[in-house]
Amino acid sequence: MNHVLCGLAANEALPYELVGRLIAVADADIADALAGRADLSREQAVDLAKRVEEATARLAYEGRLTAADIDPLARPEAALALLDAGSGDLQWARLFAQDPDPERRAKLAACPGLPADVRESLACDPDVQVVAELALWTTADMAARLARHPHAEVRRAVAGNEATPPQVLAMLVTGEGLPPAERCLVCDREETPYAHDPHCPRLDCDLRSGASCAGSHESTLHEMADQALRNPATPIAALLRFADHPSALLRWELAARPDLPPQTAARLADDPVPGVRGDLAQNPAIDDATVRVLAADLGHDVQRRLAHNPRVPLDVLSDLAAATKIGSTLLPRIASTSPSEIEDLSRSSNPVLRMLLAERRDLPAEIRDLLADDPDAKVVKSIAQHPGLSEAQLRSMVERHGAQVAAKVAANPETPAALLEDLTGHVPPVRKGLREIARHPNATGPALLVCLTDRQARRVAAGHPALPPEAIVELLADCDWQVVEAAAANPSLPLAVMAELIPEPHGA
């Protein structure tokens, strides 16, 4: 891979004529970067598609190609991408429905807006994977029909389709009103009973891990239940049976359902698997009684997950802040606090609660300033990125708490250039601060040169437009390819250097 040319292909300052020269020498990697350019003209997109087959699909998805630009026989992947994007010629759908390659028919089956005759053809496809792909994406009426398909793999896909009618999803879960499935991928290929070795050495085997069949297609029906549990269209009444299911995975999925009834939630609060209780703890559907049961749960991650529940009462959150390490993050419950709750939290004796409040970025000025003067470093660290802080306040934070808050001060989008330069000279050096300065829009050339001394910051600083041009040119020879690409993509790279870096096309 030519990292210099890949970087140049993404350089927003690359002139139109140099984009054309780069297209003429592009390989698949360069073409992928070129296909994402916002200024790529239609003429250039067509030229790129002709030169590099691998770029045509992305160009189609990016909206740079039209049906008139594509010959479906010569560029089938691009044609399928246009169909998937809803901008292809529907006559192509009829062509691909008869394609001898089942992978192409499967890609077609996932496309929206297919003509009815094409959907009918795909529903009768001899390859069950094509039918299953159709079942996953098709319309409600076709999904209802395919729910009766004799193959369990197709029913599994129907269960994951959010367009499937709720009553049909309930039938798939309960089995009531449907004839039993006759086949699955396992018994299609292996003599039953059969359990797929998770470390299967066969290179031609594509059965899923855990696949098994003893005559009733167990693993596929389990996966169908999992798909139905994940599907928001499945009626919750049909899913309550899984509260006591021997599969922890299915109980886990049930615990996360936003329509979970309180009685079922209370049962799952006693589940032996901490992961089930953890997903339950974060579920906004649980009531106050279940919240308080889970607040005392010492199982792995349960209390931390409960702290992220948007409906956790503040008194419970206060206890959780003392009992578990939540980290500096904006919790949903904190984000929805009322003005009076904000006032109370800002004066809480618990510094963790003040820290959590300080993660908000819409605090009233008087609350923001109060937290900016907080004696606890973790509170100041959280408030340091709040908009509206003055340079004097930001400098005061660093003077009082030093390296503990320097990186967050550097990350504040309003931190002025002079302070950023001073932070690069902080003793001891703050590596995380350099990485923030490297991406800061106010960073100056001198500050960025210091950032080049840190390996991770160097990769970001190399692409900063304020970096001196001579430094950018030097970085084109760096031993780190990420630095090279970033430097080549830097819009401040001199135009003359850009032109020198792009070779002339062969035969030019």
Side-chain angles (χ1 to χ4, degrees):
M1 181 185 293
N2 189 320
H3 296 292
V4 169
L5 295 186
C6 283
L8 276 178
N11 193 317
E12 61 186 28
L14 192 68
Y16 180 88
E17 62 275 11
L18 292 185
V19 171
R21 277 179 51 186
L22 197 50
I23 289 172
V25 297
D27 59 15
D29 296 310
I30 298 168
D32 186 64
L34 285 168
R37 290 187 64 88
D39 61 349
L40 196 70
S41 70
R42 182 172 177 276
E43 180 184 9
Q44 288 174 329
V46 172
D47 287 345
L48 184 60
K50 289 178 180 178
R51 175 172 175 79
V52 185
E53 172 71 25
E54 294 90 338
T56 54
R58 180 172 181 185
L59 287 166
Y61 281 119
E62 295 277 354
R64 304 304 177 83
L65 299 175
T66 67
D69 301 321
I70 295 297
D71 177 350
L73 297 177
R75 297 281 190 273
E77 298 305 318
L80 284 165
L82 282 172
L83 284 170
D84 193 36
S87 54
D89 187 334
L90 291 182
Q91 289 300 325
W92 297 348
R94 297 182 172 90
L95 173 70
F96 286 118
Q98 307 303 318
D99 195 293
D101 185 347
E103 289 191 9
R104 288 180 184 162
R105 301 200 304 276
K107 286 182 180 180
L108 174 66
C111 294
L114 294 175
D117 61 308
V118 173
R119 285 189 282 118
E120 291 291 340
S121 176
L122 294 170
C124 300
D125 198 278
D127 191 310
V128 71
Q129 299 282 30
V130 174
V131 185
E133 194 67 20
L134 176 69
L136 182 59
W137 302 106
T138 194
T139 56
D141 58 336
M142 178 61 77
R145 283 176 48 192
L146 292 177
R148 297 182 173 276
H149 197 280
H151 205 287
E153 187 70 10
V154 176
R155 298 186 184 195
R156 172 185 179 272
V158 172
N161 187 337
E162 294 186 16
T164 302
Q167 66 273 22
V168 175
L169 290 166
M171 291 167 65
L172 287 169
V173 171
T174 64
E176 298 170 3
L178 290 178
E182 298 173 9
R183 306 188 307 280
C184 69
L185 293 179
V186 179
C187 59
D188 277 350
R189 306 175 191 183
E190 306 290 344
E191 186 175 340
T192 58
Y194 179 83
H196 186 224
D197 182 353
H199 305 292
C200 180
R202 293 183 298 173
L203 298 178
D204 62 341
C205 180
D206 60 357
L207 287 175
R208 292 186 288 271
S209 178
S212 65
C213 180
S216 56
H217 327 301
E218 294 83 6
S219 67
T220 308
L221 293 182
H222 183 279
E223 292 170 349
M224 183 178 71
D226 180 59
Q227 291 295 313
L229 280 158
R230 293 170 181 263
N231 193 329
T234 308
I236 188 62
L239 300 174
L240 299 182
R241 65 186 60 224
F242 294 110
D244 300 308
H245 198 280
S247 168
L249 175 63
L250 299 184
R251 301 196 308 273
W252 207 319
E253 294 294 347
L254 179 62
R257 291 278 306 195
D259 49 1
L260 192 67
Q263 301 90 332
T264 307
R267 287 165 62 188
L268 291 170
D270 291 327
D271 196 277
V273 178
V276 174
R277 306 196 305 275
D279 265 26
L280 180 69
Q282 200 165 340
N283 190 336
I286 63 176
D287 61 14
D288 189 72
T290 302
V291 165
R292 295 182 186 279
V293 169
L294 293 169
D297 191 325
L298 300 180
H300 174 69
D301 215 32
V302 175
Q303 292 178 325
R304 188 193 67 82
R305 299 287 298 279
L306 183 61
H308 286 261
N309 191 311
R311 296 180 61 185
V312 63
L314 283 180
D315 67 304
V316 174
L317 184 57
S318 179
D319 293 339
L320 292 171
T324 187
K325 186 174 182 180
I326 298 172
S328 55
T329 184
L330 179 58
L331 297 176
R333 180 63 181 87
I334 296 294
S336 64
T337 46
S338 67
S340 62
E341 288 173 332
I342 289 174
E343 178 70 29
D344 291 343
L345 287 172
S346 70
R347 301 184 184 281
S348 170
S349 60
N350 186 344
V352 176
L353 287 178
R354 303 198 305 273
M355 174 194 75
L356 294 173
L357 176 65
E359 287 294 327
R360 286 187 60 151
R361 295 293 174 258
D362 58 350
L363 295 171
E366 62 274 14
I367 300 294
R368 177 201 64 204
D369 293 344
L370 177 67
L371 295 173
D373 289 334
D374 199 281
D376 195 295
K378 60 179 170 287
V379 178
V380 177
K381 185 177 178 181
S382 288
I383 201 69
Q385 293 185 70
H386 198 289
L389 290 167
S390 68
E391 180 175 358
Q393 286 175 305
L394 294 170
R395 287 186 178 276
S396 175
M397 292 176 182
V398 178
E399 290 169 3
R400 287 183 287 124
H401 300 289
Q404 294 179 82
V405 303
K408 293 297 184 181
V409 169
N412 189 312
E414 297 176 6
T415 298
L419 179 51
L420 293 174
E421 286 193 17
D422 290 346
L423 289 173
T424 62
H426 192 278
V427 180
V430 182
R431 295 296 178 186
K432 289 184 178 180
L434 293 180
R435 294 159 198 171
E436 295 294 344
I437 295 168
R439 62 174 58 89
H440 202 289
N442 294 338
T444 62
L448 291 166
L449 290 174
V450 178
C451 292
L452 295 179
T453 62
D454 177 79
R455 184 175 61 87
Q456 292 185 40
R458 184 181 185 88
R459 295 171 177 173
V460 181
H464 198 296
L467 191 67
E470 59 273 17
I472 301 172
V473 174
E474 287 182 12
L475 292 173
L476 294 173
D478 199 88
C479 59
D480 185 332
W481 68 267
Q482 291 175 281
V483 172
V484 172
E485 282 201 9
N490 194 318
S492 295
L493 184 68
L495 293 181
V497 176
M498 294 183 189
E500 291 173 4
L501 291 170
I502 302 175
E504 293 289 343
H506 295 299

mmCIF file of all heavy atoms in Angstrom, residues 40-64:
data_model
loop_
_atom_site.group_PDB
_atom_site.id
_atom_site.type_symbol
_atom_site.label_atom_id
_atom_site.label_comp_id
_atom_site.label_asym_id
_atom_site.label_seq_id
_atom_site.Cartn_x
_atom_site.Cartn_y
_atom_site.Cartn_z
ATOM 1 N N LEU A 40 -15.514 15.035 -5.537
ATOM 2 C CA LEU A 40 -15.331 14.193 -6.720
ATOM 3 C C LEU A 40 -16.451 14.464 -7.720
ATOM 4 O O LEU A 40 -17.638 14.376 -7.390
ATOM 5 C CB LEU A 40 -15.341 12.719 -6.301
ATOM 6 C CG LEU A 40 -14.801 11.709 -7.328
ATOM 7 C CD1 LEU A 40 -13.294 11.867 -7.485
ATOM 8 C CD2 LEU A 40 -15.153 10.293 -6.901
ATOM 9 N N SER A 41 -16.078 14.816 -8.930
ATOM 10 C CA SER A 41 -17.090 15.119 -9.943
ATOM 11 C C SER A 41 -17.664 13.822 -10.513
ATOM 12 O O SER A 41 -17.084 12.745 -10.358
ATOM 13 C CB SER A 41 -16.485 15.953 -11.074
ATOM 14 O OG SER A 41 -15.586 15.155 -11.844
ATOM 15 N N ARG A 42 -18.789 13.938 -11.186
ATOM 16 C CA ARG A 42 -19.400 12.755 -11.796
ATOM 17 C C ARG A 42 -18.471 12.170 -12.856
ATOM 18 O O ARG A 42 -18.317 10.946 -12.970
ATOM 19 C CB ARG A 42 -20.746 13.114 -12.427
ATOM 20 C CG ARG A 42 -21.458 11.910 -13.036
ATOM 21 C CD ARG A 42 -22.878 12.269 -13.480
ATOM 22 N NE ARG A 42 -23.512 11.133 -14.125
ATOM 23 C CZ ARG A 42 -23.353 10.820 -15.414
ATOM 24 N NH1 ARG A 42 -22.605 11.601 -16.191
ATOM 25 N NH2 ARG A 42 -23.945 9.762 -15.940
ATOM 26 N N GLU A 43 -17.831 13.033 -13.616
ATOM 27 C CA GLU A 43 -16.896 12.556 -14.643
ATOM 28 C C GLU A 43 -15.744 11.789 -14.010
ATOM 29 O O GLU A 43 -15.340 10.723 -14.502
ATOM 30 C CB GLU A 43 -16.371 13.752 -15.446
ATOM 31 C CG GLU A 43 -15.388 13.352 -16.553
ATOM 32 C CD GLU A 43 -14.817 14.563 -17.273
ATOM 33 O OE1 GLU A 43 -15.051 15.712 -16.814
ATOM 34 O OE2 GLU A 43 -14.124 14.364 -18.288
ATOM 35 N N GLN A 44 -15.217 12.315 -12.915
ATOM 36 C CA GLN A 44 -14.129 11.633 -12.232
ATOM 37 C C GLN A 44 -14.598 10.310 -11.635
ATOM 38 O O GLN A 44 -13.865 9.319 -11.651
ATOM 39 C CB GLN A 44 -13.552 12.537 -11.144
ATOM 40 C CG GLN A 44 -12.737 13.714 -11.681
ATOM 41 C CD GLN A 44 -12.295 14.658 -10.586
ATOM 42 O OE1 GLN A 44 -12.981 14.826 -9.578
ATOM 43 N NE2 GLN A 44 -11.139 15.300 -10.787
ATOM 44 N N ALA A 45 -15.824 10.294 -11.107
ATOM 45 C CA ALA A 45 -16.357 9.056 -10.533
ATOM 46 C C ALA A 45 -16.481 7.980 -11.598
ATOM 47 O O ALA A 45 -16.142 6.808 -11.359
ATOM 48 C CB ALA A 45 -17.718 9.325 -9.881
ATOM 49 N N VAL A 46 -16.950 8.353 -12.769
ATOM 50 C CA VAL A 46 -17.076 7.380 -13.861
ATOM 51 C C VAL A 46 -15.693 6.876 -14.276
ATOM 52 O O VAL A 46 -15.494 5.669 -14.509
ATOM 53 C CB VAL A 46 -17.831 8.011 -15.048
ATOM 54 C CG1 VAL A 46 -17.789 7.081 -16.264
ATOM 55 C CG2 VAL A 46 -19.272 8.317 -14.664
ATOM 56 N N ASP A 47 -14.706 7.775 -14.373
ATOM 57 C CA ASP A 47 -13.346 7.369 -14.723
ATOM 58 C C ASP A 47 -12.774 6.410 -13.686
ATOM 59 O O ASP A 47 -12.127 5.414 -14.023
ATOM 60 C CB ASP A 47 -12.435 8.601 -14.834
ATOM 61 C CG ASP A 47 -12.702 9.420 -16.086
ATOM 62 O OD1 ASP A 47 -13.380 8.901 -16.989
ATOM 63 O OD2 ASP A 47 -12.248 10.582 -16.138
ATOM 64 N N LEU A 48 -13.026 6.722 -12.410
ATOM 65 C CA LEU A 48 -12.515 5.874 -11.342
ATOM 66 C C LEU A 48 -13.163 4.491 -11.390
ATOM 67 O O LEU A 48 -12.495 3.467 -11.194
ATOM 68 C CB LEU A 48 -12.775 6.544 -9.988
ATOM 69 C CG LEU A 48 -12.209 5.836 -8.746
ATOM 70 C CD1 LEU A 48 -10.694 5.702 -8.837
ATOM 71 C CD2 LEU A 48 -12.593 6.607 -7.489
ATOM 72 N N ALA A 49 -14.465 4.451 -11.649
ATOM 73 C CA ALA A 49 -15.165 3.168 -11.733
ATOM 74 C C ALA A 49 -14.633 2.323 -12.883
ATOM 75 O O ALA A 49 -14.514 1.097 -12.771
ATOM 76 C CB ALA A 49 -16.664 3.409 -11.901
ATOM 77 N N LYS A 50 -14.303 2.974 -13.995
ATOM 78 C CA LYS A 50 -13.756 2.234 -15.135
ATOM 79 C C LYS A 50 -12.373 1.681 -14.828
ATOM 80 O O LYS A 50 -12.002 0.600 -15.280
ATOM 81 C CB LYS A 50 -13.693 3.147 -16.365
ATOM 82 C CG LYS A 50 -15.048 3.486 -16.950
ATOM 83 C CD LYS A 50 -14.909 4.435 -18.137
ATOM 84 C CE LYS A 50 -16.257 4.784 -18.725
ATOM 85 N NZ LYS A 50 -16.130 5.755 -19.861
ATOM 86 N N ARG A 51 -11.601 2.441 -14.039
ATOM 87 C CA ARG A 51 -10.218 2.025 -13.785
ATOM 88 C C ARG A 51 -10.127 0.959 -12.693
ATOM 89 O O ARG A 51 -9.356 0.009 -12.809
ATOM 90 C CB ARG A 51 -9.362 3.232 -13.383
ATOM 91 C CG ARG A 51 -7.956 2.820 -12.993
ATOM 92 C CD ARG A 51 -7.021 3.958 -12.772
ATOM 93 N NE ARG A 51 -5.739 3.444 -12.294
ATOM 94 C CZ ARG A 51 -4.806 2.901 -13.067
ATOM 95 N NH1 ARG A 51 -4.999 2.808 -14.365
ATOM 96 N NH2 ARG A 51 -3.668 2.442 -12.551
ATOM 97 N N VAL A 52 -10.905 1.103 -11.629
ATOM 98 C CA VAL A 52 -10.767 0.221 -10.461
ATOM 99 C C VAL A 52 -12.119 -0.404 -10.141
ATOM 100 O O VAL A 52 -13.009 0.258 -9.603
ATOM 101 C CB VAL A 52 -10.235 0.999 -9.235
ATOM 102 C CG1 VAL A 52 -9.978 0.033 -8.085
ATOM 103 C CG2 VAL A 52 -8.953 1.760 -9.595
ATOM 104 N N GLU A 53 -12.257 -1.675 -10.456
ATOM 105 C CA GLU A 53 -13.511 -2.393 -10.230
ATOM 106 C C GLU A 53 -13.944 -2.338 -8.769
ATOM 107 O O GLU A 53 -15.131 -2.181 -8.458
ATOM 108 C CB GLU A 53 -13.339 -3.860 -10.668
ATOM 109 C CG GLU A 53 -14.496 -4.771 -10.306
ATOM 110 C CD GLU A 53 -15.750 -4.500 -11.120
ATOM 111 O OE1 GLU A 53 -15.620 -3.983 -12.243
ATOM 112 O OE2 GLU A 53 -16.847 -4.799 -10.616
ATOM 113 N N GLU A 54 -12.969 -2.450 -7.851
ATOM 114 C CA GLU A 54 -13.301 -2.501 -6.423
ATOM 115 C C GLU A 54 -13.955 -1.207 -5.921
ATOM 116 O O GLU A 54 -14.599 -1.206 -4.862
ATOM 117 C CB GLU A 54 -12.049 -2.771 -5.591
ATOM 118 C CG GLU A 54 -11.434 -4.143 -5.818
ATOM 119 C CD GLU A 54 -10.386 -4.155 -6.933
ATOM 120 O OE1 GLU A 54 -10.440 -3.240 -7.789
ATOM 121 O OE2 GLU A 54 -9.534 -5.057 -6.942
ATOM 122 N N ALA A 55 -13.785 -0.109 -6.646
ATOM 123 C CA ALA A 55 -14.334 1.176 -6.194
ATOM 124 C C ALA A 55 -15.780 1.384 -6.599
ATOM 125 O O ALA A 55 -16.448 2.279 -6.066
ATOM 126 C CB ALA A 55 -13.485 2.326 -6.747
ATOM 127 N N THR A 56 -16.275 0.574 -7.515
ATOM 128 C CA THR A 56 -17.588 0.877 -8.086
ATOM 129 C C THR A 56 -18.709 0.769 -7.057
ATOM 130 O O THR A 56 -19.635 1.578 -7.063
ATOM 131 C CB THR A 56 -17.890 -0.059 -9.272
ATOM 132 O OG1 THR A 56 -17.745 -1.427 -8.848
ATOM 133 C CG2 THR A 56 -16.931 0.214 -10.420
ATOM 134 N N ALA A 57 -18.636 -0.221 -6.179
ATOM 135 C CA ALA A 57 -19.707 -0.375 -5.193
ATOM 136 C C ALA A 57 -19.778 0.830 -4.265
ATOM 137 O O ALA A 57 -20.858 1.374 -4.007
ATOM 138 C CB ALA A 57 -19.515 -1.663 -4.390
ATOM 139 N N ARG A 58 -18.629 1.287 -3.759
ATOM 140 C CA ARG A 58 -18.645 2.443 -2.864
ATOM 141 C C ARG A 58 -19.119 3.694 -3.599
ATOM 142 O O ARG A 58 -19.877 4.495 -3.053
ATOM 143 C CB ARG A 58 -17.274 2.681 -2.248
ATOM 144 C CG ARG A 58 -17.294 3.894 -1.314
ATOM 145 C CD ARG A 58 -16.062 4.121 -0.521
ATOM 146 N NE ARG A 58 -16.225 5.292 0.337
ATOM 147 C CZ ARG A 58 -15.277 5.803 1.100
ATOM 148 N NH1 ARG A 58 -14.090 5.236 1.151
ATOM 149 N NH2 ARG A 58 -15.517 6.879 1.846
ATOM 150 N N LEU A 59 -18.670 3.865 -4.824
ATOM 151 C CA LEU A 59 -19.120 5.024 -5.606
ATOM 152 C C LEU A 59 -20.633 5.001 -5.776
ATOM 153 O O LEU A 59 -21.293 6.041 -5.722
ATOM 154 C CB LEU A 59 -18.435 5.025 -6.973
ATOM 155 C CG LEU A 59 -16.952 5.402 -6.976
ATOM 156 C CD1 LEU A 59 -16.317 5.032 -8.312
ATOM 157 C CD2 LEU A 59 -16.778 6.903 -6.705
ATOM 158 N N ALA A 60 -21.173 3.803 -5.965
ATOM 159 C CA ALA A 60 -22.627 3.681 -6.105
ATOM 160 C C ALA A 60 -23.324 4.049 -4.808
ATOM 161 O O ALA A 60 -24.305 4.803 -4.803
ATOM 162 C CB ALA A 60 -22.987 2.253 -6.517
ATOM 163 N N TYR A 61 -22.819 3.524 -3.678
ATOM 164 C CA TYR A 61 -23.425 3.834 -2.378
ATOM 165 C C TYR A 61 -23.274 5.313 -2.023
ATOM 166 O O TYR A 61 -24.125 5.882 -1.335
ATOM 167 C CB TYR A 61 -22.806 2.976 -1.286
ATOM 168 C CG TYR A 61 -23.347 1.566 -1.232
ATOM 169 C CD1 TYR A 61 -22.513 0.474 -1.428
ATOM 170 C CD2 TYR A 61 -24.695 1.328 -0.990
ATOM 171 C CE1 TYR A 61 -23.011 -0.818 -1.387
ATOM 172 C CE2 TYR A 61 -25.199 0.043 -0.947
ATOM 173 C CZ TYR A 61 -24.351 -1.037 -1.139
ATOM 174 O OH TYR A 61 -24.849 -2.303 -1.094
ATOM 175 N N GLU A 62 -22.176 5.936 -2.488
ATOM 176 C CA GLU A 62 -21.952 7.354 -2.208
ATOM 177 C C GLU A 62 -22.818 8.255 -3.089
ATOM 178 O O GLU A 62 -22.809 9.476 -2.950
ATOM 179 C CB GLU A 62 -20.473 7.702 -2.429
ATOM 180 C CG GLU A 62 -19.503 7.021 -1.465
ATOM 181 C CD GLU A 62 -19.388 7.741 -0.140
ATOM 182 O OE1 GLU A 62 -19.979 8.830 -0.010
ATOM 183 O OE2 GLU A 62 -18.720 7.209 0.757
ATOM 184 N N GLY A 63 -23.532 7.659 -4.033
ATOM 185 C CA GLY A 63 -24.386 8.447 -4.912
ATOM 186 C C GLY A 63 -23.632 9.119 -6.047
ATOM 187 O O GLY A 63 -24.143 10.062 -6.653
ATOM 188 N N ARG A 64 -22.427 8.620 -6.353
ATOM 189 C CA ARG A 64 -21.612 9.250 -7.403
ATOM 190 C C ARG A 64 -21.867 8.635 -8.781
ATOM 191 O O ARG A 64 -21.380 9.153 -9.779
ATOM 192 C CB ARG A 64 -20.118 9.107 -7.067
ATOM 193 C CG ARG A 64 -19.741 9.668 -5.701
ATOM 194 C CD ARG A 64 -20.157 11.138 -5.582
ATOM 195 N NE ARG A 64 -19.878 11.670 -4.279
ATOM 196 C CZ ARG A 64 -18.703 12.134 -3.884
ATOM 197 N NH1 ARG A 64 -17.685 12.114 -4.726
ATOM 198 N NH2 ARG A 64 -18.555 12.615 -2.675
#
